[in-house]
Amino acid sequence: MAALGTLPGAAAAASVPRSQRRRGAPSLAAAYVPEGARLVCGRQLRPAPVLASPPATLSGPARRRFLRAAPAAAASGSASAGEAKPQGFAERYPTLVTGFFFFLWYFLNVIFNILNKKIFDYFPYPYFVSASHLFVGVLYCLIGWAFGFPKRAPINSTLLKPLIPVAVCHAIGHVTSTVSFAAVAVSFAHTIKALEPFFNASASQFILGQPVPLTLWLSLVPVVVGVSVASLTELSFNWTGFINAMISNISFTYRSIYAKKAMTDMDSTNLYAYISIIALIVCIPPALIIEGPQLVQHGFKDAIAKVGLTKLISNFFVVGLFYHLYNQVATNTLERVAPLSHAIGNVLKRVFVIGFSIIVFGNKITTQTGIGTSIAIAGVALYSFMKAKIEEEKRQIKSA
C-alpha cells in the first residue's frame, strides 16, 4: 500500500525499544500526532481505544468492574471511528427515487390540467384563475420559509434585477396558457404548445446568435406540420385559444433566454419562489382591469350559486397547489437526471396530459387531428433527443 505521508513523530517511532512495543501499547499515530493536526486525507485521526491491564492497586469488586468496562469502551470507540454512515433509501435505490419523481411530476401535471379545466365550467375568468395559481404558490412558499423548509435565501437588488425579466415572461406565459386552456380543449392547447421547441431554436439562432445545426431544424419540420394538420380539423378550434397558446410559446422562450442571463447560486426552490412572487405582482393588475368589473358584478355570485363558497375557495386552493408543486417537482427532476432523460420525460408528460384529457373530458377529435397531434409529438421527441445529444457532445469536448 502506498504511504499516505509521513506522520509527525515518525522518527521517534524508530527509537522506541522493541521491548516497549508490546501488545496493548497506544498506537504511534495516537501518541505522537498533535491533537490539532490529526488529519490524513481529510479525515481526522482518533486515538485507538486501549485495552490496558487494570492497575495493581485495584482488587476484588473494583478490579472486576474495570475489566467489564474496558471491552465496552473499546467497542464504543471502534464503532464511532470505523463504521461508515448507513446509506439511506435514496442512496441505495436511486433509480426508484428518480422514477418516483417522474411519476409525481406526471401525476401532478395531469391532475392540474383536469381540475383547472373544470373550474372554467362555472368560473370562466382565466386572468383571475391564473393569478390565483400564483397566489397559492406564493402562500405555500411563505409558509415553508416561516418553518425553515427550505430556509429562505437572502436577496438584494443585485440578485433581484435579473430575475424581473424572467418573472415577467413567466407571468405572461402562464396567463396566456390559462386563457388558451379556457378557450379550447386541453389536448389541442398542448398540441399547439408542442411548437415551443421551434420558438426556442428561432430565438437561439436569431436573437442569441447561436447557430442551430441543420439537423435540428429538420427535426422541427414534423412538429410544424403536425400542429398545422391538427389545427385544420380541430373541433374546438378558435383564434383566442390558438393565439394565446402561441404567445405563451414566445413568452416561455424569452423566459429561457433571460434565465440564462440570470444564473445565480440560489437553489431552485428559492429561485422559483422569488419568481412566483414577482409574477403574481405582474398578474394582479390585468386581472383587476380586464375581469374585475365582471367579477364584482356577477362573476363570484354566479360561481357561488353553482358550487358554493366553500367548494369555490377549496378548488382554487387545490388547483393552485398542484400548479406550484408540479412546476417545483419538474425542476427537482431536472436536477436528478441528464438533459436527454428530462427532455424525453417532458415529451411523454405531454402525451399523458393529452391522453388523459381526452378520456376525462370525452373530447371528440377527428382522425386528421389525431394524426397531426401524433406527428407533432413525434417531432418534439426527435428534436429533444437530438438537442440533448448535441449538448452532451459539447460537454464532453469541453471536459476533454
Side-chain angles (χ1 to χ4, degrees):
M1 180 183 290
L4 295 176
T6 304
L7 292 175
S15 63
V16 178
R18 183 178 301 272
S19 60
Q20 294 181 16
R21 301 177 195 173
R22 63 185 181 276
R23 185 175 181 179
S27 66
L28 293 174
Y32 291 99
V33 179
E35 189 66 30
R38 291 177 184 170
L39 292 175
V40 177
C41 289
R43 295 178 179 269
Q44 185 174 8
L45 296 176
R46 299 177 183 272
V50 181
L51 295 180
S53 301
T57 54
L58 294 180
S59 60
R63 183 184 182 90
R64 287 192 295 270
R65 284 197 298 271
F66 181 91
L67 292 174
R68 284 196 300 267
S76 175
S78 175
S80 61
E83 288 186 3
K85 184 179 179 181
Q87 288 185 328
F89 184 86
E91 288 78 14
R92 286 183 292 173
Y93 307 102
T95 304
L96 289 178
V97 174
T98 301
F100 175 74
F101 268 85
F102 271 101
F103 167 77
L104 195 60
W105 178 21
Y106 290 6
F107 174 77
L108 293 172
N109 194 287
V110 168
I111 297 300
F112 162 73
N113 279 275
I114 292 174
L115 296 181
N116 191 56
K117 183 64 176 178
K118 288 185 175 181
I119 283 182
F120 297 124
D121 293 337
Y122 55 86
F123 196 82
Y125 302 98
Y127 288 88
F128 183 88
V129 170
S130 59
S132 71
H133 295 160
L134 295 169
F135 174 78
V136 174
V138 169
L139 186 63
Y140 173 87
C141 294
L142 294 177
I143 294 174
W145 281 342
F147 288 93
F149 302 108
K151 185 178 180 181
R152 187 181 71 84
I155 194 168
N156 52 41
S157 58
T158 304
L159 294 174
L160 183 63
K161 187 176 180 180
L163 290 183
I164 291 177
V166 180
V168 171
C169 292
H170 178 71
I172 296 174
H174 176 52
V175 170
T176 51
S177 291
T178 307
V179 173
S180 179
F181 289 141
V184 298
V186 172
S187 56
F188 181 55
H190 275 279
T191 301
I192 302 171
K193 287 175 69 64
L195 280 171
E196 192 172 325
F198 173 81
F199 290 98
N200 287 336
S202 300
S204 298
Q205 180 82 51
F206 303 111
I207 298 177
L208 297 178
Q210 300 173 353
V212 176
L214 179 61
T215 52
L216 278 183
W217 281 116
L218 293 176
S219 69
L220 288 170
V221 173
V223 182
V224 177
V225 172
V227 173
S228 301
V229 170
S231 300
L232 289 174
T233 56
E234 170 59 37
L235 299 177
S236 69
F237 179 89
N238 66 61
W239 285 107
T240 299
F242 182 84
I243 292 174
N244 275 276
M246 295 293 281
I247 295 174
S248 173
N249 286 334
I250 297 173
S251 299
F252 286 139
T253 297
Y254 274 96
R255 181 186 66 178
S256 300
I257 293 173
Y258 288 120
K260 292 178 181 179
K261 299 179 181 179
M263 298 297 289
T264 67
D265 294 332
M266 192 183 301
D267 64 280
S268 60
T269 302
N270 276 288
L271 187 64
Y272 185 64
Y274 284 120
I275 289 175
S276 297
I277 294 172
I278 301 170
L280 174 61
I281 297 173
V282 174
C283 287
I284 290 176
L288 294 177
I289 295 171
I290 298 173
E291 297 175 343
Q294 298 176 355
L295 290 173
V296 174
Q297 186 177 0
H298 55 79
F300 288 115
K301 293 179 182 178
D302 293 346
I304 293 172
K306 291 180 181 178
V307 298
L309 179 61
T310 303
K311 186 174 181 180
L312 179 65
I313 296 175
S314 63
N315 285 351
F316 278 142
F317 178 80
V318 171
V319 173
L321 187 61
F322 273 102
Y323 170 77
H324 182 85
L325 291 178
Y326 102 72
N327 277 285
Q328 188 60 64
V329 171
T331 304
N332 295 338
T333 305
L334 176 60
E335 294 175 343
R336 295 187 60 88
V337 299
L340 175 59
S341 300
H342 193 270
I344 294 175
N346 200 24
V347 175
L348 293 177
K349 178 214 67 174
R350 202 174 294 281
V351 173
F352 270 84
V353 172
I354 291 174
F356 274 99
S357 66
I358 292 174
I359 294 172
V360 172
F361 297 109
N363 298 332
K364 295 180 179 180
I365 60 173
T366 65
T367 302
Q368 187 172 332
T369 299
I371 294 174
T373 300
S374 301
I375 293 174
I377 296 300
V380 173
L382 178 62
Y383 170 84
S384 301
F385 176 81
M386 296 181 66
K387 181 176 173 59
K389 188 176 181 181
I390 291 173
E391 293 295 329
E392 182 63 27
E393 290 175 354
K394 288 181 180 178
R395 279 193 295 271
Q396 290 178 356
I397 292 174
K398 289 181 179 179
S399 61

